[in-house]
Amino acid sequence: ARSLLDALSERPGERAGLVAFAGRGVVRAPLTESLGAVADALDRLRPGDVRPGGTDLGAALDAALDLFP
């Protein structure tokens, strides 16, 4: 994720967001051009932050799709 943010930062106007997931998807950073804010949110992620536990990738994708207009 950090490598992707680094690559995007070299291209003006690119946007990113961050969705954490386990048993559900949770937006940790909305879609924004402020890639530094997304990087900060990434740095704050910790195992166990999202409850309930699990690996519901579908919930993460649903949360990510909700970020787009």
Side-chain angles (χ1 to χ4, degrees):
R2 176 62 73 177
S3 295
L4 175 60
L5 286 173
D6 290 344
L8 290 175
S9 69
E10 297 174 7
R11 300 170 51 156
E14 291 293 340
R15 299 185 300 163
L18 179 65
V19 174
F21 73 98
R24 64 190 178 105
V26 180
V27 175
R28 293 297 187 200
L31 194 59
T32 180
E33 288 184 22
S34 177
L35 302 181
V38 177
D40 290 343
L42 180 62
D43 290 342
R44 289 190 304 272
L45 281 180
R46 297 291 176 262
D49 278 354
V50 179
R51 301 263 184 228
T55 55
D56 192 347
L57 181 58
L61 293 173
D62 288 339
L65 287 173
D66 289 342
L67 294 175
F68 292 93

XYZ file of all heavy atoms in Angstrom:
492
model
N 0.832 -1.185 0.000
C 0.000 0.000 0.000
C 0.881 1.254 0.000
O 0.593 2.222 -0.693
C -0.937 -0.009 1.198
N 1.951 1.219 0.760
C 2.848 2.378 0.815
C 3.501 2.601 -0.557
O 3.615 3.737 -1.008
C 3.914 2.154 1.887
C 4.964 3.232 1.973
C 4.414 4.560 2.325
N 4.038 4.545 3.717
C 3.567 5.592 4.352
N 3.415 6.728 3.732
N 3.229 5.507 5.608
N 3.899 1.552 -1.230
C 4.500 1.683 -2.564
C 3.513 2.294 -3.551
O 3.888 3.118 -4.390
C 4.966 0.322 -3.080
O 6.003 -0.179 -2.288
N 2.259 1.898 -3.457
C 1.235 2.457 -4.332
C 1.073 3.952 -4.059
O 1.017 4.757 -4.990
C -0.093 1.733 -4.141
C -1.272 2.300 -4.919
C -1.012 2.276 -6.414
C -2.538 1.536 -4.572
N 1.009 4.338 -2.795
C 0.894 5.757 -2.464
C 2.095 6.543 -2.968
O 1.955 7.661 -3.473
C 0.737 5.946 -0.959
C -0.623 5.565 -0.381
C -0.589 5.649 1.138
C -1.725 6.430 -0.954
N 3.284 5.971 -2.832
C 4.486 6.631 -3.325
C 4.415 6.838 -4.844
O 4.763 7.907 -5.354
C 5.742 5.834 -2.971
C 6.058 5.862 -1.478
O 5.505 6.731 -0.759
O 6.836 4.995 -1.039
N 3.963 5.832 -5.557
C 3.845 5.942 -7.014
C 2.784 6.972 -7.400
O 2.986 7.762 -8.322
C 3.516 4.578 -7.621
N 1.671 6.977 -6.693
C 0.611 7.940 -6.994
C 1.054 9.370 -6.712
O 0.632 10.305 -7.395
C -0.649 7.616 -6.179
C -1.406 6.358 -6.576
C -2.559 6.109 -5.605
C -1.928 6.449 -7.999
N 1.907 9.553 -5.715
C 2.336 10.901 -5.349
C 3.179 11.551 -6.443
O 3.335 12.766 -6.460
C 3.116 10.877 -4.033
O 4.363 10.248 -4.194
N 3.696 10.763 -7.358
C 4.480 11.292 -8.470
C 3.601 11.761 -9.627
O 4.114 12.290 -10.606
C 5.463 10.232 -8.956
C 6.486 9.848 -7.899
C 7.381 8.704 -8.328
O 7.309 8.285 -9.507
O 8.151 8.226 -7.481
N 2.302 11.561 -9.491
C 1.359 11.919 -10.560
C 0.330 12.902 -10.004
O -0.563 12.497 -9.268
C 0.682 10.667 -11.087
C 1.666 9.665 -11.671
C 1.027 8.351 -11.973
N -0.184 8.536 -12.776
C -0.691 7.610 -13.551
N -0.123 6.433 -13.629
N -1.781 7.835 -14.240
N 0.429 14.173 -10.351
C -0.504 15.175 -9.834
C -1.956 14.821 -10.127
O -2.274 14.301 -11.201
C -0.111 16.454 -10.570
C 1.288 16.218 -11.038
C 1.413 14.745 -11.261
N -2.813 15.081 -9.148
C -4.247 14.863 -9.331
C -4.734 13.470 -9.006
O -5.938 13.220 -9.032
N -3.835 12.566 -8.705
C -4.263 11.205 -8.356
C -4.937 11.220 -6.982
O -4.614 12.031 -6.120
C -3.082 10.249 -8.326
C -2.481 9.975 -9.679
C -3.396 9.202 -10.611
O -4.341 8.539 -10.142
O -3.153 9.260 -11.825
N -5.874 10.319 -6.796
C -6.594 10.216 -5.521
C -6.446 8.805 -4.974
O -6.249 7.844 -5.716
C -8.073 10.536 -5.713
C -8.305 11.937 -6.212
C -9.765 12.292 -6.294
N -10.466 11.392 -7.218
C -11.787 11.252 -7.259
N -12.558 11.926 -6.436
N -12.350 10.439 -8.104
N -6.582 8.708 -3.666
C -6.557 7.408 -2.998
C -7.471 7.473 -1.788
O -7.821 8.549 -1.297
C -5.136 7.041 -2.567
N -7.853 6.340 -1.317
C -8.626 6.193 -0.089
C -8.126 4.937 0.593
O -7.308 4.196 0.034
N -8.614 4.699 1.795
C -8.169 3.523 2.543
C -9.357 2.869 3.226
O -10.111 3.522 3.946
C -7.130 3.931 3.593
C -6.580 2.813 4.471
C -5.783 1.808 3.637
C -5.709 3.393 5.569
N -9.515 1.573 2.963
C -10.553 0.771 3.609
C -9.870 -0.366 4.342
O -9.115 -1.135 3.752
C -11.552 0.200 2.575
C -12.535 -0.748 3.234
C -12.278 1.335 1.864
N -10.115 -0.446 5.643
C -9.636 -1.581 6.446
C -10.777 -2.591 6.518
O -11.956 -2.222 6.445
C -9.248 -1.109 7.842
N -10.421 -3.849 6.657
C -11.492 -4.841 6.751
C -11.080 -6.013 7.607
O -9.916 -6.297 7.809
C -11.932 -5.322 5.366
C -10.954 -6.231 4.681
C -11.129 -7.606 4.727
C -9.872 -5.725 3.990
C -10.235 -8.456 4.084
C -8.981 -6.555 3.336
C -9.161 -7.919 3.386
N -12.082 -6.651 8.126
C -11.977 -7.927 8.832
C -13.349 -8.564 8.611
O -13.639 -8.960 7.489
C -11.644 -7.734 10.304
N -14.198 -8.550 9.616
C -15.553 -9.058 9.449
C -16.476 -8.055 8.790
O -17.625 -8.346 8.493
N -15.980 -6.842 8.562
C -16.710 -5.782 7.869
C -15.690 -4.827 7.266
O -14.514 -4.852 7.622
C -17.656 -5.047 8.820
C -16.943 -4.316 9.930
C -17.912 -3.786 10.994
N -17.182 -3.133 12.050
C -17.113 -1.824 12.228
N -17.769 -1.026 11.410
N -16.427 -1.308 13.216
N -16.124 -3.986 6.355
C -15.253 -2.987 5.759
C -15.458 -1.644 6.429
O -16.593 -1.248 6.691
N -14.376 -0.934 6.726
C -14.448 0.356 7.407
C -13.567 1.358 6.662
O -12.375 1.113 6.465
C -13.956 0.232 8.870
C -14.022 1.573 9.570
C -14.749 -0.815 9.623
N -14.156 2.478 6.261
C -13.392 3.527 5.594
C -12.505 4.211 6.631
O -12.991 4.741 7.622
C -14.321 4.556 4.923
C -13.512 5.710 4.336
C -15.167 3.894 3.851
N -11.204 4.190 6.411
C -10.244 4.849 7.301
C -9.767 6.167 6.716
O -9.287 7.021 7.440
C -9.052 3.947 7.586
C -9.399 2.724 8.389
C -9.909 3.130 9.744
N -10.075 1.947 10.573
C -10.845 1.914 11.642
N -11.529 2.962 11.989
N -10.934 0.817 12.340
N -9.880 6.325 5.395
C -9.569 7.587 4.732
C -10.446 7.664 3.485
O -10.426 6.746 2.664
C -8.096 7.670 4.352
N -11.219 8.742 3.349
C -12.058 8.870 2.154
C -11.198 9.129 0.925
O -10.025 9.482 1.031
C -12.938 10.078 2.475
C -12.137 10.879 3.433
C -11.333 9.888 4.234
N -11.784 8.979 -0.226
C -11.094 9.227 -1.484
C -10.668 10.693 -1.524
O -11.492 11.597 -1.376
C -12.019 8.904 -2.654
C -11.409 8.773 -4.020
C -10.361 7.673 -4.036
C -12.485 8.472 -5.040
N -9.370 10.946 -1.679
C -8.832 12.294 -1.593
C -7.550 12.429 -2.402
O -6.878 11.430 -2.667
C -8.540 12.666 -0.118
O -8.019 13.992 -0.057
C -7.548 11.714 0.513
N -7.234 13.669 -2.765
C -5.944 13.958 -3.386
C -4.857 14.130 -2.336
O -3.674 14.169 -2.665
C -6.033 15.222 -4.246
C -6.818 15.020 -5.524
C -6.813 16.248 -6.404
O -5.921 17.101 -6.270
O -7.725 16.353 -7.245
N -5.239 14.216 -1.072
C -4.279 14.362 0.021
C -3.687 12.995 0.362
O -4.117 12.329 1.315
C -4.954 14.991 1.245
O -4.027 15.070 2.310
N -2.715 12.588 -0.427
C -2.134 11.263 -0.247
C -1.394 11.153 1.081
O -1.289 10.064 1.642
C -1.202 10.937 -1.419
C -1.877 10.971 -2.799
C -0.873 10.619 -3.876
C -3.088 10.071 -2.851
N -0.926 12.268 1.614
C -0.292 12.259 2.926
C -1.274 11.868 4.014
O -0.929 11.151 4.953
N -2.527 12.325 3.888
C -3.557 11.954 4.859
C -3.841 10.457 4.797
O -4.042 9.807 5.829
C -4.830 12.754 4.615
N -3.844 9.913 3.598
C -4.063 8.473 3.439
C -2.881 7.706 4.034
O -3.065 6.699 4.722
C -4.287 8.102 1.960
C -4.452 6.595 1.795
C -5.503 8.840 1.404
N -1.666 8.196 3.798
C -0.474 7.554 4.363
C -0.517 7.589 5.890
O -0.171 6.602 6.549
C 0.791 8.234 3.852
N -0.963 8.706 6.458
C -1.093 8.797 7.921
C -2.104 7.779 8.444
O -1.867 7.122 9.466
C -1.510 10.203 8.348
C -0.415 11.231 8.159
O 0.772 10.836 8.006
O -0.742 12.438 8.160
N -3.233 7.650 7.746
C -4.241 6.674 8.155
C -3.679 5.252 8.049
O -3.933 4.408 8.913
C -5.495 6.820 7.293
N -2.897 5.000 7.022
C -2.259 3.690 6.857
C -1.309 3.409 8.017
O -1.299 2.310 8.569
C -1.517 3.639 5.520
C -0.799 2.347 5.174
C -1.779 1.191 5.065
C -0.041 2.519 3.863
N -0.536 4.409 8.409
C 0.405 4.240 9.518
C -0.300 3.957 10.845
O 0.266 3.307 11.722
C 1.280 5.491 9.674
C 2.273 5.662 8.535
O 2.536 4.670 7.813
O 2.767 6.793 8.357
N -1.531 4.443 10.978
C -2.277 4.242 12.230
C -2.994 2.889 12.301
O -3.489 2.514 13.364
C -3.290 5.364 12.425
C -2.655 6.700 12.770
C -3.692 7.723 13.199
N -4.742 7.947 12.215
C -4.689 8.837 11.226
N -3.614 9.586 11.071
N -5.701 8.982 10.395
N -3.073 2.179 11.185
C -3.755 0.879 11.200
C -3.025 -0.109 12.101
O -1.798 -0.188 12.085
C -3.815 0.280 9.799
C -4.862 0.805 8.854
C -4.763 0.077 7.523
C -6.253 0.686 9.423
N -3.788 -0.862 12.858
C -3.232 -1.892 13.734
C -4.079 -3.163 13.616
O -5.294 -3.072 13.408
C -3.238 -1.438 15.196
C -2.376 -0.223 15.484
C -0.887 -0.574 15.331
N -0.021 0.561 15.512
C 0.502 1.287 14.535
N 0.234 1.002 13.277
N 1.298 2.306 14.786
N -3.445 -4.314 13.760
C -4.220 -5.556 13.765
C -5.286 -5.495 14.856
O -5.042 -5.009 15.960
C -3.181 -6.634 14.091
C -1.874 -6.038 13.675
C -2.009 -4.552 13.943
N -6.465 -5.942 14.526
C -7.553 -5.966 15.490
C -8.358 -4.679 15.555
O -9.300 -4.589 16.332
N -8.005 -3.665 14.742
C -8.741 -2.401 14.745
C -10.188 -2.564 14.303
O -11.057 -1.839 14.753
C -8.080 -1.372 13.821
C -6.905 -0.659 14.456
O -6.653 -0.863 15.656
O -6.230 0.102 13.727
N -10.440 -3.491 13.394
C -11.783 -3.680 12.865
C -12.400 -4.909 13.514
O -11.830 -5.993 13.469
C -11.758 -3.834 11.322
C -13.157 -4.062 10.793
C -11.119 -2.613 10.675
N -13.543 -4.703 14.117
C -14.278 -5.795 14.751
C -15.611 -5.953 14.045
O -16.162 -4.958 13.588
C -14.526 -5.474 16.232
C -13.265 -5.264 17.010
C -12.892 -6.532 17.710
N -11.710 -6.267 18.545
C -10.668 -7.021 18.545
N -10.622 -8.076 17.784
N -9.646 -6.758 19.306
N -16.203 -7.097 13.938
C -15.662 -8.373 14.390
C -14.527 -8.824 13.482
O -14.376 -8.329 12.374
C -16.848 -9.315 14.270
C -17.669 -8.754 13.162
C -17.477 -7.249 13.244
N -13.752 -9.745 13.967
C -12.662 -10.312 13.186
C -13.188 -11.105 12.006
O -14.377 -11.351 11.874
N -12.300 -11.497 11.155
C -12.691 -12.283 9.989
C -11.903 -11.832 8.771
O -10.920 -11.113 8.882
N -12.375 -12.243 7.614
C -11.722 -11.860 6.364
C -12.772 -11.610 5.289
O -12.747 -12.229 4.234
C -10.746 -12.953 5.883
O -11.466 -14.191 5.793
C -9.571 -13.100 6.800
N -13.689 -10.699 5.551
C -14.779 -10.421 4.618
C -14.327 -9.415 3.558
O -14.593 -8.217 3.657
C -15.995 -9.907 5.382
C -17.244 -9.877 4.522
O -17.116 -10.017 3.285
O -18.343 -9.714 5.078
N -13.623 -9.900 2.565
C -13.127 -9.051 1.495
C -14.280 -8.391 0.747
O -14.173 -7.235 0.316
C -12.249 -9.848 0.528
C -11.646 -9.081 -0.641
C -10.801 -7.916 -0.150
C -10.831 -10.009 -1.520
N -15.382 -9.089 0.611
C -16.553 -8.517 -0.063
C -17.030 -7.253 0.640
O -17.390 -6.272 -0.013
N -17.018 -7.247 1.971
C -17.420 -6.059 2.727
C -16.453 -4.911 2.483
O -16.856 -3.745 2.393
C -17.483 -6.384 4.214
N -15.158 -5.217 2.335
C -14.171 -4.187 2.042
C -14.422 -3.589 0.656
O -14.355 -2.375 0.480
C -12.756 -4.766 2.131
N -14.710 -4.424 -0.296
C -14.979 -3.934 -1.655
C -16.246 -3.087 -1.691
O -16.280 -2.056 -2.361
C -15.080 -5.099 -2.624
C -13.786 -5.872 -2.846
C -14.038 -7.115 -3.705
C -12.718 -4.989 -3.457
N -17.272 -3.497 -0.956
C -18.496 -2.694 -0.873
C -18.207 -1.327 -0.268
O -18.690 -0.300 -0.773
C -19.572 -3.404 -0.044
C -20.177 -4.600 -0.750
O -20.082 -4.674 -2.000
O -20.746 -5.459 -0.063
N -17.425 -1.272 0.806
C -17.065 -0.003 1.436
C -16.250 0.856 0.476
O -16.449 2.072 0.392
C -16.305 -0.244 2.736
N -15.346 0.243 -0.263
C -14.520 0.982 -1.217
C -15.387 1.552 -2.354
O -15.202 2.706 -2.753
C -13.434 0.085 -1.785
N -16.320 0.788 -2.848
C -17.193 1.275 -3.912
C -18.032 2.449 -3.448
O -18.339 3.353 -4.246
C -18.084 0.141 -4.418
C -17.393 -0.912 -5.267
C -18.329 -2.071 -5.574
C -16.868 -0.296 -6.556
N -18.401 2.470 -2.167
C -19.181 3.583 -1.634
C -18.395 4.888 -1.617
O -18.984 5.974 -1.478
C -19.686 3.263 -0.222
C -20.778 2.220 -0.210
O -21.394 1.977 -1.279
O -21.031 1.642 0.863
N -17.076 4.841 -1.758
C -16.250 6.043 -1.769
C -16.378 6.800 -3.090
O -16.096 7.987 -3.160
C -14.779 5.705 -1.542
C -14.411 5.129 -0.178
C -12.947 4.737 -0.162
C -14.705 6.147 0.912
N -16.806 6.129 -4.133
C -16.911 6.747 -5.446
C -18.276 7.379 -5.632
O -19.284 6.812 -5.219
C -16.656 5.710 -6.550
C -15.254 5.214 -6.585
C -14.903 4.063 -5.899
C -14.292 5.900 -7.295
C -13.592 3.596 -5.918
C -12.986 5.452 -7.321
C -12.640 4.300 -6.630
N -18.301 8.570 -6.271
C -19.602 9.241 -6.507
C -20.443 8.475 -7.514
O -19.995 7.697 -8.276
C -19.212 10.607 -7.041
C -17.777 10.552 -7.420
C -17.188 9.341 -6.758
